[in-house]
Amino acid sequence: MALPRIDTPIYELRLPLSGRLIKFRPFLVKEQKNLMMAIEADDKETIERNIKQVLHNCTLTENIVIDNLPVLDVEYYFLNLRARSVGEVVENKYVCNNEVDGVKCGNKMDVKFNLLDIEVETNPNFSDIIELTDTISIKLRYPEFSVMERVSDKNNTVDLAFRMIVDSIDYVYDGDQYYYAQETPEKELIEFIESLNAQQFEKIEKFFENLPKLNKRVEIKCDKCGYDHSITVEGLENFFG
């Protein structure tokens, strides 16, 4: 006689950037085991690969390709998946760096927060259209999760930045015509970015610096020195590290 099957609940989630509504199930023990092994290996590429596989396994909505989702959507999805699978509340440790009589306190504080309370912080000045000259502008897309794999083999920040920018171009507009990235050879896109001056390139870098991000502010008092901390937690890795 076969063992009974345990039904799993189904949840819905609206992704913040793409606006896609997805249905998903919690991850199973075998999937959690793979994630824990990846995290213990402390290898970013392995962790990203396992996160993508778990999200793919748990997604019940058809035509959702994890690689094609914005990076922040994937992070937000994974936080919600983890909350529904293991528990909403996580606990981290933070060191109190308040100085008392010239000496850092050093107390390790336990900080708890609810993953479902984490919000997406958007810069009010953020824009995906960058004016490079009076007539030429460029429109950038939110970096897709697939970009993370393509930049993993880059050994320096310059190569990484160029790869990220080229993969995020939607189109270039010269006042008369739109030049869409998907219809333009990659070599031409690279040459276009390399032809920019420092000020123009800095405008593009600002786009990536001001991308929406996951954010949680935690207020806590050090139980050793009594200092009141206001801790801002940002980025997927910092919610579990």
Side-chain angles (χ1 to χ4, degrees), residues 8-30:
T8 56
I10 296 176
Y11 299 98
E12 283 190 344
L13 179 70
R14 179 78 64 180
L15 300 180
L17 297 188
S18 65
R20 300 290 300 272
L21 180 65
I22 57 175
K23 292 183 179 181
F24 65 95
R25 64 161 174 82
F27 54 69
L28 307 177
V29 170
K30 61 180 180 181

Side-chain angles (χ1 to χ4, degrees), residues 16 25 30 34 47 55 79 87 96 117 137 148 155 158 176 200 202 218 237 240:
R25 64 161 174 82
K30 61 180 180 181
N34 289 338
I47 294 172
L55 291 177
L79 285 182
C96 175
D117 291 339
S137 59
M148 306 307 294
N155 297 320
V158 175
D176 295 314
Q200 293 165 341
E202 184 178 354
V218 180
E237 67 280 2
F240 303 110

Side-chain angles (χ1 to χ4, degrees), residues 9-199:
I10 296 176
Y11 299 98
E12 283 190 344
L13 179 70
R14 179 78 64 180
L15 300 180
L17 297 188
S18 65
R20 300 290 300 272
L21 180 65
I22 57 175
K23 292 183 179 181
F24 65 95
R25 64 161 174 82
F27 54 69
L28 307 177
V29 170
K30 61 180 180 181
E31 293 160 340
Q32 182 180 2
K33 178 182 176 182
N34 289 338
L35 280 173
M36 292 175 63
M37 291 174 63
I39 292 172
E40 289 178 358
D42 197 24
D43 179 74
K44 186 175 181 180
E45 187 176 349
T46 301
I47 294 172
E48 289 171 355
R49 186 169 58 249
N50 277 270
I51 286 176
K52 182 174 72 172
Q53 185 60 56
V54 169
L55 291 177
H56 173 76
N57 292 352
C58 296
T59 302
L60 304 178
T61 303
E62 295 183 357
N63 301 320
I64 295 290
V65 181
I66 302 301
D67 269 338
N68 295 344
L69 294 174
V71 173
L72 185 132
D73 273 1
V74 173
E75 293 180 341
Y76 185 80
Y77 181 12
F78 182 71
L79 285 182
N80 278 267
L81 175 62
R82 194 275 184 193
R84 299 302 189 184
S85 303
V86 180
E88 300 174 8
V89 177
V90 296
E91 181 176 316
N92 278 345
K93 289 186 180 296
Y94 292 89
V95 177
C96 175
N97 290 319
N98 179 47
E99 290 193 1
V100 180
D101 297 328
V103 180
K104 286 187 177 180
C105 173
N107 182 42
K108 291 185 178 181
M109 305 175 293
D110 293 327
V111 179
K112 295 181 180 180
F113 50 86
N114 192 316
L115 293 175
L116 298 182
D117 291 339
I118 294 169
E119 300 178 347
V120 176
E121 180 184 68
T122 303
N123 189 314
N125 299 318
F126 176 80
S127 175
D128 57 359
I129 297 180
I130 297 97
E131 295 183 357
L132 301 175
T133 70
D134 292 340
T135 57
I136 299 176
S137 59
I138 183 172
K139 184 177 186 299
L140 299 174
R141 300 187 302 264
Y142 295 116
E144 296 178 348
F145 192 68
S146 60
V147 173
M148 306 307 294
E149 290 184 321
R150 292 198 289 274
V151 301
S152 63
D153 62 343
K154 303 302 177 185
N155 297 320
N156 60 67
T157 55
V158 175
D159 286 342
L160 190 152
F162 268 81
R163 179 76 268 167
M164 184 77 75
I165 291 170
V166 169
D167 283 353
S168 300
I169 295 175
D170 189 358
Y171 62 73
V172 175
Y173 179 60
D174 66 1
D176 295 314
Q177 183 175 343
Y178 291 91
Y179 303 87
Y180 290 93
Q182 61 184 6
E183 301 170 356
T184 305
E186 185 179 88
K187 183 174 181 292
E188 291 186 23
L189 296 173
I190 294 174
E191 290 174 350
F192 176 80
I193 297 300
E194 290 178 339
S195 72
L196 302 178
N197 61 39
Q199 290 75 25

